[in-house]
């Protein structure tokens, strides 16, 4: 297995919603993945929770062929201007290269503005949030906790979720990357989403 198939890139930028990908990155790291952070530059950024993060690389250094997945989190800047538009364009490059992208919260609006949701099944916070972007994909919107669109032939898969569904978002990432088999994935979700203690026994071999 190549190193790129075990490397996941997490986009980081000022005000990024740090709680939205905590489950995802923690359990990827526990299962042998390397999580590398990608910023607008290599300068530190500050999360919505006030944590300072030093990016591992800048966006112009990111290459789809070096990655198994690009993760985009929510941030105030998705809805206040075009500062994060380069990350949406990077997502287009990943999808065109057949490498999947996972977007949660405001990042879904960024992808909508980039036209990446027009032909893909997707979700977000609420349908009218995306409708406000003026995108053409309203008919493909699904009212669900998280959605994976497998992508057309030659295109990467796309995961979307709303801001209140970080656990479902992680579930879709794990399913797409094959981190857990179906039984363990169901147990993982029941444990972390439903606080079902009985699911822990299934995960003991994690």
């Amino acid at each position: 297995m190549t190193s790129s198939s075990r490397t996941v890139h997490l986009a980081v930028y000022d005000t990024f919603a740090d709680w939205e990908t905590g489950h995802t990155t923690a359990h990827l790291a526990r299962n042998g993945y390397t999580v590398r952070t990608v910023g607008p530059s290599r300068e530190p950024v500050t999360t919505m929770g006030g944590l300072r993060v030093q990016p591992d690389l800048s966006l112009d250094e990111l290459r789809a062929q070096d990655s198994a997945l690009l993760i985009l989190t929510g941030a105030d800047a998705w809805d206040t201007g075009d500062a994060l538009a380069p990350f949406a364009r990077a997502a287009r490059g990943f999808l065109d290269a057949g490498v999947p992208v996972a977007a949660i919260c405001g990042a879904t609006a960024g992808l909508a503005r980039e036209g990446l949701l027009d032909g893909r099944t997707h979700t977000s916070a609420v349908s009218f949030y995306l409708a406000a972007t003026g995108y053409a994909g309203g008919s493909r919107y699904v009212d669900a906790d998280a959605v994976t669109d497998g992508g057309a032939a030659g295109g990467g898969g796309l995961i979307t979720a709303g801001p209140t569904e970080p656990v479902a978002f992680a579930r879709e990432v794990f399913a797409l990357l094959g981190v857990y088999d179906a039984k363990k994935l169901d147990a993982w979700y029941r444990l972390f989403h439903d606080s079902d203690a009985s699911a822990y026994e299934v995960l003991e071999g994690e």
Side-chain angles (χ1 to χ4, degrees):
M1 185 171 292
T2 64
S3 59
S4 63
S5 67
R6 304 293 290 186
T7 300
V8 168
H9 288 90
L10 170 67
V12 295
Y13 21 73
D14 285 333
T15 75
F16 90 82
D18 34 15
W19 69 90
E20 291 177 345
T21 58
H23 290 87
T24 302
T25 55
H27 289 274
L28 286 175
R30 288 190 66 188
N31 283 277
Y33 284 81
T34 298
V35 179
R36 301 197 72 202
T37 52
V38 184
S41 70
R42 289 197 177 212
E43 292 299 310
V45 300
T46 304
T47 74
M48 199 174 291
L51 303 179
R52 285 175 62 80
V53 176
Q54 177 77 55
D56 294 313
L57 66 159
S58 62
L59 186 58
D60 61 7
E61 296 174 287
L62 178 65
R63 300 188 305 167
Q65 60 265 38
D66 296 332
S67 187
L69 175 73
L70 174 62
I71 302 173
L72 301 173
T73 71
D76 293 340
W78 284 114
D79 297 315
T80 57
D82 297 325
L84 298 185
F87 285 92
R89 290 194 290 271
R92 177 180 292 280
F94 267 62
L95 294 171
D96 288 347
V99 182
V101 172
I104 186 170
C105 188
T108 61
L111 298 191
R113 295 185 186 96
E114 182 65 19
L116 296 177
L117 304 185
D118 291 350
R120 294 177 172 89
T121 303
H122 61 276
T123 193
S124 184
V126 287
S127 60
F128 55 80
Y129 170 63
L130 292 186
T133 68
Y135 84 132
S139 65
R140 301 297 297 271
Y141 185 90
V142 178
D143 187 12
D145 54 9
V147 170
T148 299
D149 183 284
L158 177 64
I159 295 168
T160 50
T164 62
E165 297 294 345
V167 179
F169 182 69
R171 178 197 65 206
E172 296 300 301
V173 169
F174 302 156
L176 184 66
L177 296 180
V179 175
Y180 299 116
D181 61 31
K183 184 177 180 180
K184 279 194 172 183
L185 184 62
D186 173 70
W188 184 92
Y189 184 74
R190 288 188 289 111
L191 179 62
F192 287 97
H193 186 266
D194 303 326
S195 299
D196 182 353
S198 68
Y200 182 76
E201 293 181 5
V202 180
L203 290 169
E204 281 188 328
E206 176 182 332

